[in-house]
Amino acid sequence: MPDPLTSSHVLGVSRSLSGQSWIWRGGNNAFGMAGGAEEDIVTQLLLARGVEPGDIEKERQPTLRAFLPDPSEFRDMDTAAERLAQAVLTGEQVTVYGDYDVDGATSAALLIHLLRMLGTEADHYIPDRLLEGYGPSGEALVKLGESGSSLVVTVDCGAMAHDALGQAHDAGLDVIVVDHHKCSPELPRTVALVNPNRLDESDIGASHGHLAAVGVAFLLAIATVRTLRERGFFSDRKEPDLRGLLDLVALGTVADVAALRGLNRAFVAQGLKVMARRDNIGMAALIDASRLKRAPQCSDLGFALGPRINAGGRVGEATLGVRLLTTRDPEEAAQIARQLSELNEDRRAIEAAVQEAAEDQLAAQHNRAVPVVAGKGWHPGVIGIVAGRLKEKTGKPTIVIALDADDAGQGKGSGRSIAGVDLGAAIIAARENDLLVAGGGHAMAAGLTIAEDRLEAFRDWLDATLSRQVEAAMAGRKLALDLSLAPGGLTPELIETMEAAGPYGMGWPGPKVAIGPVRLVKADIVGTDHLRLIAAGDDGTRIKAIAFRAAESDMGQAILSAPGGRRLWLAGRAKIDDWGARPAAELHLEDAAWAD
């Protein structure tokens, strides 16, 4: 191995046990480079994530004041706000039509709370994943109009629903679309379509294309309140404080894996503060059902709260999430939160069965640029999660398709991608080439409907279309590190300091550290394919590490069979283990390399 003091790679690691090179995030970890003054760890972490020196203080404490754009910069925003304000002023019946995932549930709940603050009780409609599928259906929209709704607002769906929205338009129903998914050049017929990913979006609007739908809905809330203010609506009533809705924005943003940069960081940072106040009855019940004994952190939104909301749409009743987040009744909230927790356990069992069956097909597709696995009877509610698991296992974009069990000849698919491969664009192109019945998404995730007899042609087309992208992305695999430590340097105090540069998530990666050199004291497998380590430095300091779902990986197998006494560098995310009597530091292991 090259000399770690002279190599351009961190600690001289040009190829780790998982096949990656180790590099410094941002190019170096030399504190004090900016402005010639010695910098603290938080400043260094911000600089490594691309923050300009002049923006350090703004990014250190992200606030809405610093990042919030004028909502009017977005196409159709003023038109949407005017129509929604009109509905409030005239007492119209409004229905919010949401998607069945967390982003859809939080977006719908946000607009329902907004209208409630403005004196209007809105209805909600959430389609059944299995019976109706993704997005608004023309039949459902027309029925909502026949039932008395004069305005429907679709959230987290609708951008590509040309036929359904055309039917609604022909039936005389006004529809506002609030979405963030990719759009086609021709937009559906609506009163307004607010989506920063419209192809004709303004420069400022397009720069916010990373917003989740709930973030776009929050901007619509601001615009609507402003419109009502200009019309004198608040001359004899209190204007609502929209900041109280930021807990919903934070949950939907993190659970939808939206990039945590710019405005999204401010949404999440401020939303966590609102969440800690427990003002939303349903959110408080959800936190309790998740068995959190402290105020939620950013990671809890993605791994504890979000999956429970998602479970309703995946394997239970799709409306549970919206009902929980909008209820005024603490007893109802507790009951729904318990039900969602039970459904989440059911989802895990279903997911495990589908994943096992899907993994059995991977060996036959090891030469594919994009593995596409399919099975009859697989539950459509878990295929997205399984696709994510298989992507982690293979390092390639992966698509999982649930074929109809009744031989109807179609299947629903979900895909997850890797950095550098735009899967959403490929799925849209496949649909335009008549390989798919329907499909869309964004760079990292996509959904589709396919005729079973087109499966092999679809696989071949993906290979031809994406093989170069996938090859380039995999060849350039790198692990970006922020800090190198001796084992004794891994302390709870250091971890708390690093967390101050958060919130972390997609697009704003959590700090990763390299630790070593260490010798293994113990290495074994716990749970389902998790690798657990105890390692000691040259000074005898011991650290604990765990690598989730990694025991069967190349890295896991190398560590488990490592000869006694051989030293290692370990790399991953430092976390605080607060299960014991006293908080302790541990490493969530992502990679390792031989130190000698």
Side-chain angles (χ1 to χ4, degrees):
M1 175 168 290
D3 184 344
L5 298 178
T6 61
S7 172
S8 61
H9 297 101
V10 176
L11 301 171
V13 179
S14 59
R15 185 172 178 82
S16 69
L17 295 182
S18 66
Q20 301 182 96
S21 60
W22 292 4
I23 61 170
W24 290 123
R25 193 187 311 278
N28 67 75
N29 75 332
F31 284 27
M33 293 298 291
E38 185 174 348
E39 304 291 350
D40 59 36
I41 291 177
V42 173
T43 297
Q44 180 65 27
L45 294 174
L46 295 175
L47 291 171
R49 280 151 187 76
V51 176
E52 295 296 329
D55 292 333
I56 289 294
E57 293 309 312
K58 181 174 78 169
E59 293 281 3
R60 189 185 291 267
Q61 297 290 339
T63 63
L64 292 189
R65 182 182 298 274
F67 289 98
L68 196 67
D70 181 347
S72 295
E73 293 286 352
F74 293 77
R75 299 282 188 197
D76 279 6
M77 181 69 80
D78 289 343
T79 303
E82 288 281 352
R83 183 64 185 88
L84 200 54
Q86 177 187 339
V88 171
L89 291 168
T90 57
E92 295 179 57
Q93 184 172 323
V94 180
T95 297
V96 183
Y97 193 120
D99 188 21
Y100 36 65
D101 68 359
V102 184
D103 193 17
T106 52
S107 300
L110 185 147
L111 291 183
I112 290 169
H113 278 290
L114 168 70
L115 292 169
R116 190 178 288 171
M117 292 173 178
L118 300 173
T120 297
E121 289 294 327
D123 295 328
H124 65 263
Y125 186 92
I126 309 295
D128 184 279
R129 180 188 291 264
L130 299 182
L131 299 179
E132 298 175 82
Y134 170 76
S137 74
E139 180 182 0
L141 290 171
V142 171
K143 284 184 178 179
L144 289 174
E146 293 172 347
S147 299
S149 291
S150 54
L151 175 63
V152 172
V153 184
T154 73
V155 288
D156 196 30
C157 59
M160 296 291 288
H162 294 75
D163 291 343
L165 294 172
Q167 292 179 49
H169 178 273
D170 292 343
L173 178 66
D174 283 352
V175 179
I176 296 170
V177 172
V178 178
D179 204 353
H180 68 134
H181 293 97
K182 287 183 180 290
C183 294
S184 61
E186 180 184 354
L187 299 175
R189 289 183 291 173
T190 62
V191 169
L193 193 153
V194 186
N195 183 340
N197 289 304
R198 286 175 54 152
L199 298 181
D200 63 345
E201 186 55 87
S202 68
D203 290 344
I204 291 178
S207 71
H208 290 83
H210 60 293
L211 293 180
V214 70
V216 183
F218 186 78
L219 293 176
L220 176 57
I222 294 173
T224 302
V225 169
R226 183 173 62 187
T227 299
L228 289 169
R229 184 190 308 126
E230 292 169 350
R231 295 195 180 188
F233 184 72
F234 300 111
S235 60
D236 58 353
R237 69 175 70 204
K238 184 178 179 181
E239 188 170 318
D241 184 355
L242 298 181
R243 291 173 298 181
L245 301 175
L246 287 173
D247 54 349
L248 295 169
V249 182
L251 177 56
T253 296
V254 174
D256 210 53
V257 202
L260 293 192
R261 53 184 172 84
L263 181 57
N264 277 347
R265 283 193 72 230
F267 279 153
V268 176
Q270 302 306 316
L272 287 170
K273 296 177 183 177
V274 175
M275 200 175 291
R277 301 203 307 253
R278 297 170 63 92
D279 292 339
N280 184 305
I281 292 170
M283 191 76 77
L286 184 64
I287 294 168
D288 292 340
S290 301
R291 297 187 292 277
L292 293 176
K293 303 301 182 184
R294 47 165 172 73
Q297 300 171 354
C298 188
S299 59
D300 297 321
L301 308 188
F303 293 104
L305 307 187
R308 285 171 164 78
I309 296 291
N310 262 335
R314 292 186 186 281
V315 298
E317 183 183 341
T319 62
L320 289 174
V322 176
R323 287 171 50 202
L324 173 67
L325 296 173
T326 57
T327 184
R328 299 179 176 93
D329 183 350
E331 291 187 6
E332 181 186 27
Q335 186 274 324
I336 295 175
R338 285 194 299 270
Q339 186 177 355
L340 286 171
S341 288
E342 292 168 359
L343 288 171
N344 195 44
E345 292 301 315
D346 294 342
R347 184 269 306 168
R348 288 177 176 172
I350 294 169
E351 174 195 326
V354 173
Q355 182 170 341
E356 182 179 1
E359 286 186 353
D360 289 342
Q361 297 183 23
L362 282 179
Q365 299 194 43
H366 69 279
N367 289 326
R368 291 279 189 185
V370 181
V372 179
V373 296
K376 286 190 180 294
W378 289 358
H379 198 298
V382 302
I383 55 177
I385 302 174
V386 174
R389 298 274 191 250
L390 298 186
K391 179 204 74 171
E392 293 174 4
K393 189 179 186 72
T394 64
K396 299 177 179 180
T398 304
I399 295 173
V400 179
I401 297 173
L403 299 171
D404 293 336
D406 58 1
D407 291 322
Q410 281 195 354
K412 299 287 186 182
S414 186
R416 297 294 181 269
S417 194
I418 60 176
V421 181
D422 190 338
L423 187 60
I427 293 302
I428 290 173
R431 185 195 68 224
E432 292 171 348
N433 279 275
D434 296 325
L435 290 162
L436 302 174
V437 176
H442 48 79
M444 300 301 289
L448 59 91
T449 302
I450 187 171
E452 187 174 354
D453 61 7
R454 301 293 280 163
L455 257 176
E456 201 60 29
F458 176 55
R459 288 188 177 109
D460 292 341
W461 184 89
L462 282 177
D463 268 0
T465 304
L466 293 180
S467 58
R468 288 187 179 179
Q469 285 188 43
V470 173
E471 184 179 349
M474 294 185 68
R477 291 177 62 224
K478 295 179 174 64
L479 179 66
L481 297 168
D482 294 276
L483 202 60
S484 176
L485 305 169
L490 185 64
T491 65
E493 293 76 19
L494 174 68
I495 296 170
E496 289 177 358
T497 298
M498 292 193 296
E499 290 300 312
Y504 298 109
M506 176 64 69
W508 195 266
K512 294 177 183 177
V513 301
I515 299 176
V518 297
R519 288 182 173 84
L520 293 179
V521 176
K522 181 180 180 181
D524 60 2
I525 301 173
V526 295
T528 305
D529 197 32
H530 306 319
L531 177 65
R532 179 177 60 183
L533 305 179
I534 297 176
D538 292 341
D539 62 355
T541 302
R542 292 193 175 194
I543 62 170
K544 295 192 301 181
I546 185 165
F548 296 104
R549 295 182 297 275
E552 295 184 4
S553 68
D554 291 343
M555 178 192 73
Q557 289 299 301
I559 290 175
L560 287 169
S561 60
R566 190 169 184 185
R567 298 191 305 170
L568 287 161
W569 301 111
L570 305 178
R573 186 87 156 85
K575 291 285 190 177
I576 292 179
D577 177 6
D578 53 10
W579 284 99
R582 209 169 41 171
E586 67 177 12
L587 185 69
H588 286 191
L589 186 68
E590 296 184 25
D591 206 354
W594 300 121
D596 49 35

